[in-house]
Amino acid sequence: PELLREAGFVTACFIGNLNVGRKWGFDRGFVHYAQTRPVGKAPAAEVNAAARKLASLLASPFFLYLHYVDPHDPYRPTRTWRGRGRPYVQPRRLLERGRFTERELWRLVDQYDGEIRDLDDALAELFDDLRERGLLADTLVVVTSDHGEEFGEHGHLTHGRNLFEEVLRVPLLLWSESGLPSFRSEAPFSHLDLMPT
C-alpha cells in the first residue's frame, strides 16, 4: 500500500481480523483504513458492508485490500455444505476433550466448506457491486489466504500448531474482467512473491 500510494493510487482497506490490525502496523500506506470490532471474527457480510462504504471513496487507480476471516474457526456458516445444520461442532471443544471421531471431523469439514461457500457468495456480491460502480472493469482481483486448516490429518485441528502442507498450502488466484491469460500452475509461491508479481 505504501508503494502504491506513492504511485498515485487511492489506498483503502477493511480488516476483518484483529491479528492483522493497526496495532501491528498494517495500516501503513492506507489513506482509508477501517477494522472490525475488538472481539470475534467479522463475517463476510460485514466485510462487504465496509467495502461498499470504502468503494464510494475510490477513484481509479485504486488499491482496495479486504481481509475476510471466513473460512476460519469457529465455523458458523449460514448453511453447511451438505445442509446438516446446527448444532455446530467446534474445534476448540474437540481439542479440549483431546479426541475426536471421524463423524465429528466430517462435520467440521462440512461447516468449513459452508464457510467457503459463504465467502464465495460474498465475493460474487462484492464484484457485482464494484461492477455497478464502474470499478471492476480494469481491476486486477487477487485472492489468497494466510494459512490452511488441518482436519485430523496429523492428529491436529485448525492451524497454528505445526507446519504441515495442509496449513502451508494456500491458493493464489489472479483474475481480471478485462481478461488475463488463463493458466494453472502447481509451482509453489510465497507471500513474499505477491508484491513483485
Side-chain angles (χ1 to χ4, degrees), residues 87-139:
Y88 291 147
V89 176
Q90 295 303 333
R92 292 189 199 286
R93 300 237 170 150
L94 299 179
L95 290 170
E96 288 168 6
R97 195 173 74 199
R99 58 184 165 73
F100 37 86
T101 66
E102 190 74 21
R103 183 177 178 167
E104 289 168 329
L105 287 177
W106 280 111
R107 288 279 290 160
L108 287 177
V109 170
D110 192 32
Q111 293 163 201
Y112 182 75
D113 290 347
E115 286 201 346
I116 290 172
R117 179 175 39 208
D118 286 349
L119 178 60
D120 189 52
D121 292 346
L123 290 175
E125 290 172 13
L126 173 71
F127 298 158
D128 287 345
D129 189 62
L130 292 175
R131 187 177 293 112
E132 287 175 18
R133 295 171 189 261
L135 295 172
L136 193 60
D138 295 321
T139 297

Coordinates of all heavy atoms in Angstrom, one line a residue, residues 87-139:
P87 N -26.8 -28.3 15.7 CA -25.7 -27.6 16.4 C -24.4 -27.9 15.7 O -24.1 -29.0 15.3 CB -25.7 -28.1 17.8 CG -26.3 -29.5 17.7 CD -27.2 -29.5 16.6
Y88 N -23.6 -26.9 15.7 CA -22.3 -27.0 15.1 C -21.2 -27.6 16.0 O -21.3 -27.4 17.2 CB -21.7 -25.6 14.6 CG -22.5 -25.1 13.4 CD1 -22.7 -23.7 13.3 CD2 -23.0 -25.9 12.4 CE1 -23.4 -23.2 12.2 CE2 -23.7 -25.4 11.3 CZ -23.9 -24.1 11.2 OH -24.6 -23.6 10.2
V89 N -20.3 -28.3 15.5 CA -19.2 -28.9 16.2 C -18.1 -27.9 16.1 O -17.8 -27.3 15.0 CB -18.7 -30.3 15.6 CG1 -17.5 -30.8 16.3 CG2 -19.9 -31.3 15.7
Q90 N -17.4 -27.6 17.2 CA -16.3 -26.6 17.1 C -14.9 -27.2 17.5 O -14.9 -28.0 18.5 CB -16.6 -25.4 18.0 CG -17.8 -24.6 17.6 CD -17.7 -24.1 16.1 OE1 -16.6 -23.9 15.6 NE2 -18.8 -23.9 15.5
P91 N -13.9 -26.9 16.8 CA -12.6 -27.5 17.0 C -12.1 -27.3 18.5 O -11.5 -28.2 19.0 CB -11.6 -26.7 16.1 CG -12.5 -26.2 15.0 CD -13.8 -25.9 15.7
R92 N -12.3 -26.1 19.1 CA -11.8 -25.9 20.4 C -12.3 -26.9 21.4 O -11.6 -27.3 22.3 CB -12.1 -24.4 20.9 CG -11.3 -23.4 20.1 CD -11.5 -22.0 20.7 NE -11.2 -21.0 19.7 CZ -10.0 -20.7 19.4 NH1 -8.9 -21.3 19.8 NH2 -9.7 -19.7 18.5
R93 N -13.6 -27.2 21.3 CA -14.2 -28.1 22.2 C -13.6 -29.5 22.0 O -13.3 -30.2 23.0 CB -15.7 -28.2 22.0 CG -16.4 -26.9 22.2 CD -17.4 -27.0 23.3 NE -17.8 -25.6 23.6 CZ -19.0 -25.2 24.0 NH1 -19.9 -26.1 24.1 NH2 -19.2 -24.0 24.2
L94 N -13.4 -29.9 20.8 CA -12.8 -31.2 20.5 C -11.3 -31.2 21.0 O -10.9 -32.3 21.5 CB -12.8 -31.5 19.0 CG -14.2 -31.6 18.4 CD1 -14.1 -31.9 16.9 CD2 -15.1 -32.6 19.1
L95 N -10.6 -30.2 20.8 CA -9.2 -30.1 21.3 C -9.2 -30.2 22.8 O -8.3 -30.8 23.4 CB -8.5 -28.8 20.8 CG -8.2 -28.8 19.3 CD1 -7.8 -27.5 18.8 CD2 -7.2 -29.9 18.9
E96 N -10.1 -29.5 23.5 CA -10.2 -29.5 25.0 C -10.4 -30.9 25.4 O -9.9 -31.4 26.4 CB -11.3 -28.6 25.5 CG -10.9 -27.1 25.3 CD -12.1 -26.2 25.6 OE1 -13.2 -26.7 26.0 OE2 -12.0 -25.0 25.4
R97 N -11.3 -31.6 24.7 CA -11.6 -33.0 25.1 C -10.5 -34.0 24.8 O -10.3 -35.0 25.4 CB -12.9 -33.4 24.3 CG -13.5 -34.7 24.8 CD -14.8 -35.0 24.1 NE -14.6 -35.4 22.7 CZ -15.4 -35.4 21.7 NH1 -16.6 -34.9 21.9 NH2 -15.1 -35.9 20.6
G98 N -9.6 -33.6 23.8 CA -8.4 -34.4 23.5 C -8.6 -35.5 22.5 O -7.7 -36.2 22.2
R99 N -9.8 -35.6 21.9 CA -10.0 -36.6 20.9 C -11.2 -36.2 20.1 O -12.0 -35.3 20.5 CB -10.3 -38.0 21.6 CG -11.5 -38.0 22.5 CD -11.6 -39.4 23.2 NE -12.5 -39.3 24.3 CZ -13.8 -39.1 24.3 NH1 -14.4 -39.0 23.1 NH2 -14.5 -39.0 25.3
F100 N -11.3 -36.8 18.9 CA -12.4 -36.5 18.0 C -12.7 -37.7 17.1 O -11.8 -38.5 16.8 CB -12.2 -35.3 17.2 CG -10.8 -35.1 16.7 CD1 -10.3 -35.7 15.5 CD2 -9.9 -34.4 17.4 CE1 -9.0 -35.6 15.1 CE2 -8.6 -34.2 17.0 CZ -8.1 -34.9 15.8
T101 N -14.0 -37.9 16.8 CA -14.4 -39.0 16.0 C -14.4 -38.7 14.5 O -14.3 -37.5 14.1 CB -15.8 -39.5 16.3 OG1 -16.7 -38.4 15.9 CG2 -16.0 -39.7 17.8
E102 N -14.4 -39.7 13.7 CA -14.5 -39.5 12.2 C -15.7 -38.6 11.8 O -15.6 -37.8 11.0 CB -14.5 -40.8 11.5 CG -14.3 -40.8 10.0 CD -12.9 -40.5 9.6 OE1 -11.9 -40.7 10.4 OE2 -12.7 -40.0 8.5
R103 N -16.8 -38.9 12.5 CA -18.0 -38.2 12.2 C -17.9 -36.7 12.6 O -18.3 -35.8 11.8 CB -19.2 -38.8 13.0 CG -20.5 -38.2 12.7 CD -21.6 -38.8 13.4 NE -22.9 -38.1 13.1 CZ -24.0 -38.5 13.4 NH1 -24.2 -39.7 13.9 NH2 -25.1 -37.8 13.1
E104 N -17.2 -36.4 13.7 CA -17.0 -35.0 14.1 C -16.1 -34.3 13.1 O -16.3 -33.1 12.8 CB -16.4 -35.0 15.5 CG -17.4 -35.3 16.6 CD -16.8 -35.6 17.9 OE1 -15.7 -36.0 18.0 OE2 -17.5 -35.3 18.9
L105 N -15.1 -35.0 12.6 CA -14.2 -34.4 11.6 C -15.0 -34.1 10.3 O -14.8 -33.0 9.8 CB -13.1 -35.4 11.2 CG -12.0 -35.5 12.3 CD1 -10.9 -36.6 11.8 CD2 -11.3 -34.2 12.6
W106 N -15.9 -35.0 9.9 CA -16.7 -34.7 8.7 C -17.6 -33.5 8.9 O -17.9 -32.7 8.0 CB -17.4 -35.9 8.2 CG -16.6 -36.9 7.5 CD1 -16.1 -38.1 7.9 CD2 -16.0 -36.6 6.2 NE1 -15.3 -38.6 6.9 CE2 -15.2 -37.7 5.9 CE3 -16.0 -35.6 5.3 CZ2 -14.5 -37.8 4.7 CZ3 -15.3 -35.6 4.1 CH2 -14.6 -36.8 3.8
R107 N -18.1 -33.4 10.2 CA -19.0 -32.2 10.5 C -18.2 -30.9 10.4 O -18.6 -29.9 9.9 CB -19.6 -32.4 11.9 CG -20.6 -33.4 12.1 CD -22.0 -32.9 11.6 NE -22.5 -31.9 12.5 CZ -23.4 -31.1 12.3 NH1 -24.0 -31.1 11.1 NH2 -23.9 -30.2 13.1
L108 N -16.9 -31.0 10.9 CA -16.1 -29.8 10.8 C -15.8 -29.4 9.4 O -15.9 -28.2 9.0 CB -14.7 -30.0 11.5 CG -14.7 -30.1 13.1 CD1 -13.4 -30.4 13.6 CD2 -15.2 -28.7 13.6
V109 N -15.5 -30.4 8.6 CA -15.2 -30.2 7.1 C -16.4 -29.6 6.5 O -16.4 -28.7 5.7 CB -14.7 -31.4 6.4 CG1 -14.6 -31.2 4.9 CG2 -13.3 -31.8 7.0
D110 N -17.6 -30.1 6.8 CA -18.9 -29.7 6.2 C -19.1 -28.2 6.6 O -19.5 -27.4 5.7 CB -20.0 -30.6 6.8 CG -21.3 -30.4 6.1 OD1 -21.3 -30.1 4.9 OD2 -22.3 -30.5 6.8
Q111 N -18.8 -27.9 7.8 CA -19.0 -26.5 8.3 C -18.0 -25.5 7.6 O -18.3 -24.4 7.2 CB -18.9 -26.4 9.8 CG -20.0 -27.1 10.5 CD -19.7 -27.3 12.0 OE1 -20.3 -28.2 12.6 NE2 -18.7 -26.7 12.6
Y112 N -16.7 -26.0 7.5 CA -15.7 -25.2 6.8 C -16.1 -25.0 5.4 O -16.0 -23.9 4.9 CB -14.4 -26.0 6.9 CG -13.2 -25.4 6.4 CD1 -12.5 -24.3 7.0 CD2 -12.6 -25.8 5.2 CE1 -11.4 -23.7 6.5 CE2 -11.5 -25.2 4.6 CZ -10.9 -24.2 5.3 OH -9.7 -23.6 4.8
D113 N -16.5 -26.0 4.7 CA -16.9 -25.9 3.3 C -18.1 -24.9 3.2 O -18.2 -24.2 2.2 CB -17.3 -27.3 2.7 CG -16.1 -28.1 2.5 OD1 -14.9 -27.6 2.6 OD2 -16.3 -29.4 2.3
G114 N -19.0 -24.9 4.2 CA -20.1 -24.0 4.2 C -19.6 -22.6 4.3 O -20.1 -21.6 3.6
E115 N -18.6 -22.3 5.1 CA -18.0 -21.0 5.2 C -17.3 -20.6 3.9 O -17.3 -19.4 3.5 CB -17.0 -20.9 6.4 CG -17.8 -20.9 7.7 CD -17.0 -20.3 8.8 OE1 -15.7 -20.1 8.7 OE2 -17.6 -19.9 9.8
I116 N -16.7 -21.6 3.2 CA -16.1 -21.3 1.9 C -17.2 -20.8 0.9 O -17.0 -19.8 0.2 CB -15.4 -22.5 1.3 CG1 -14.1 -22.8 2.1 CG2 -15.0 -22.3 -0.2 CD1 -13.4 -24.1 1.8
R117 N -18.4 -21.5 1.0 CA -19.5 -21.1 0.1 C -20.0 -19.7 0.5 O -20.3 -18.9 -0.4 CB -20.6 -22.1 0.2 CG -21.8 -21.6 -0.7 CD -22.9 -22.6 -0.8 NE -23.2 -23.3 0.4 CZ -23.8 -24.5 0.5 NH1 -24.1 -25.1 -0.6 NH2 -24.0 -25.0 1.7
D118 N -20.0 -19.4 1.8 CA -20.4 -18.1 2.2 C -19.5 -17.0 1.7 O -19.9 -16.0 1.2 CB -20.5 -18.0 3.8 CG -21.6 -18.7 4.4 OD1 -22.6 -19.1 3.7 OD2 -21.6 -18.9 5.6
L119 N -18.2 -17.3 1.7 CA -17.2 -16.3 1.2 C -17.4 -16.2 -0.3 O -17.3 -15.1 -0.9 CB -15.8 -16.7 1.6 CG -14.7 -15.8 1.0 CD1 -14.9 -14.4 1.5 CD2 -13.3 -16.4 1.4
D120 N -17.6 -17.3 -1.0 CA -17.7 -17.3 -2.4 C -18.9 -16.4 -2.8 O -18.9 -15.6 -3.7 CB -17.9 -18.7 -3.0 CG -17.9 -18.8 -4.5 OD1 -16.9 -18.2 -5.1 OD2 -18.8 -19.4 -5.0
D121 N -20.0 -16.6 -2.1 CA -21.2 -15.8 -2.3 C -21.0 -14.3 -2.0 O -21.4 -13.4 -2.8 CB -22.4 -16.3 -1.4 CG -22.9 -17.6 -1.8 OD1 -22.6 -18.1 -2.9 OD2 -23.7 -18.2 -1.0
A122 N -20.2 -14.0 -1.0 CA -19.9 -12.6 -0.6 C -19.0 -12.0 -1.7 O -19.2 -10.8 -2.0 CB -19.2 -12.6 0.8
L123 N -18.1 -12.7 -2.2 CA -17.2 -12.2 -3.2 C -18.0 -11.9 -4.5 O -17.8 -10.9 -5.2 CB -16.1 -13.1 -3.5 CG -15.0 -13.2 -2.4 CD1 -13.9 -14.3 -2.8 CD2 -14.3 -11.9 -2.2
A124 N -19.0 -12.8 -4.8 CA -19.8 -12.5 -6.0 C -20.6 -11.2 -5.8 O -20.7 -10.4 -6.7 CB -20.7 -13.7 -6.2
E125 N -21.2 -11.0 -4.6 CA -21.9 -9.8 -4.3 C -21.0 -8.6 -4.4 O -21.4 -7.5 -5.0 CB -22.5 -9.9 -2.9 CG -23.6 -10.8 -2.8 CD -24.1 -11.0 -1.3 OE1 -23.7 -10.2 -0.5 OE2 -24.8 -11.9 -1.1
L126 N -19.8 -8.7 -3.9 CA -18.8 -7.6 -3.9 C -18.5 -7.2 -5.4 O -18.5 -6.1 -5.8 CB -17.5 -8.0 -3.2 CG -16.4 -7.0 -3.3 CD1 -16.7 -5.7 -2.5 CD2 -15.1 -7.6 -2.8
F127 N -18.2 -8.3 -6.2 CA -17.8 -8.0 -7.6 C -19.0 -7.4 -8.3 O -18.8 -6.4 -9.2 CB -17.4 -9.3 -8.3 CG -16.2 -9.9 -7.7 CD1 -15.9 -11.2 -7.9 CD2 -15.3 -9.2 -6.9 CE1 -14.8 -11.8 -7.3 CE2 -14.1 -9.7 -6.4 CZ -13.9 -11.1 -6.6
D128 N -20.2 -7.8 -8.1 CA -21.4 -7.2 -8.7 C -21.5 -5.7 -8.3 O -21.8 -4.8 -9.1 CB -22.7 -7.9 -8.3 CG -22.9 -9.3 -8.9 OD1 -22.2 -9.5 -9.9 OD2 -23.7 -10.0 -8.4
D129 N -21.3 -5.4 -7.0 CA -21.3 -4.0 -6.6 C -20.2 -3.2 -7.2 O -20.5 -2.1 -7.7 CB -21.2 -4.0 -5.0 CG -21.5 -2.6 -4.5 OD1 -22.6 -2.1 -4.7 OD2 -20.6 -2.0 -3.9
L130 N -19.0 -3.7 -7.3 CA -17.9 -3.0 -7.9 C -18.2 -2.8 -9.4 O -17.9 -1.7 -10.0 CB -16.6 -3.7 -7.7 CG -16.1 -3.7 -6.2 CD1 -14.8 -4.6 -6.2 CD2 -15.8 -2.3 -5.7
R131 N -18.8 -3.8 -10.0 CA -19.1 -3.7 -11.5 C -20.1 -2.5 -11.7 O -20.0 -1.7 -12.6 CB -19.7 -5.0 -11.9 CG -19.9 -5.1 -13.4 CD -20.4 -6.5 -13.9 NE -19.4 -7.5 -13.7 CZ -19.4 -8.5 -12.8 NH1 -20.5 -8.6 -12.0 NH2 -18.4 -9.3 -12.6
E132 N -21.2 -2.5 -10.8 CA -22.2 -1.4 -11.0 C -21.6 -0.1 -10.8 O -22.1 0.9 -11.4 CB -23.3 -1.7 -9.9 CG -24.2 -2.9 -10.3 CD -25.2 -3.2 -9.2 OE1 -25.5 -2.3 -8.3 OE2 -25.8 -4.3 -9.2
R133 N -20.6 0.1 -9.9 CA -19.9 1.4 -9.7 C -18.9 1.7 -10.7 O -18.3 2.7 -10.7 CB -19.3 1.4 -8.3 CG -20.2 1.2 -7.1 CD -19.4 1.0 -5.9 NE -20.3 0.7 -4.7 CZ -20.7 1.6 -3.8 NH1 -20.3 2.9 -3.9 NH2 -21.5 1.2 -2.8
G134 N -18.7 0.8 -11.7 CA -17.7 1.0 -12.7 C -16.2 0.8 -12.2 O -15.3 1.4 -12.8
L135 N -16.1 0.1 -11.1 CA -14.8 -0.1 -10.5 C -14.1 -1.4 -10.8 O -13.0 -1.7 -10.3 CB -14.8 0.1 -9.0 CG -15.2 1.5 -8.6 CD1 -15.5 1.6 -7.0 CD2 -14.1 2.5 -8.9
L136 N -14.8 -2.3 -11.6 CA -14.3 -3.7 -11.7 C -13.6 -3.9 -13.1 O -12.7 -4.7 -13.2 CB -15.4 -4.7 -11.5 CG -15.0 -6.1 -11.4 CD1 -14.1 -6.3 -10.2 CD2 -16.2 -7.1 -11.3
A137 N -14.0 -3.1 -14.1 CA -13.6 -3.4 -15.5 C -12.0 -3.5 -15.6 O -11.5 -4.3 -16.3 CB -14.1 -2.3 -16.4
D138 N -11.3 -2.5 -15.0 CA -9.9 -2.5 -15.2 C -9.2 -2.9 -13.9 O -8.0 -2.4 -13.6 CB -9.4 -1.1 -15.6 CG -9.9 -0.8 -17.0 OD1 -9.9 -1.7 -17.9 OD2 -10.3 0.4 -17.2
T139 N -9.8 -3.7 -13.1 CA -9.2 -4.1 -11.8 C -8.7 -5.5 -11.8 O -9.3 -6.4 -12.4 CB -10.3 -4.0 -10.7 OG1 -10.8 -2.6 -10.6 CG2 -9.9 -4.5 -9.4

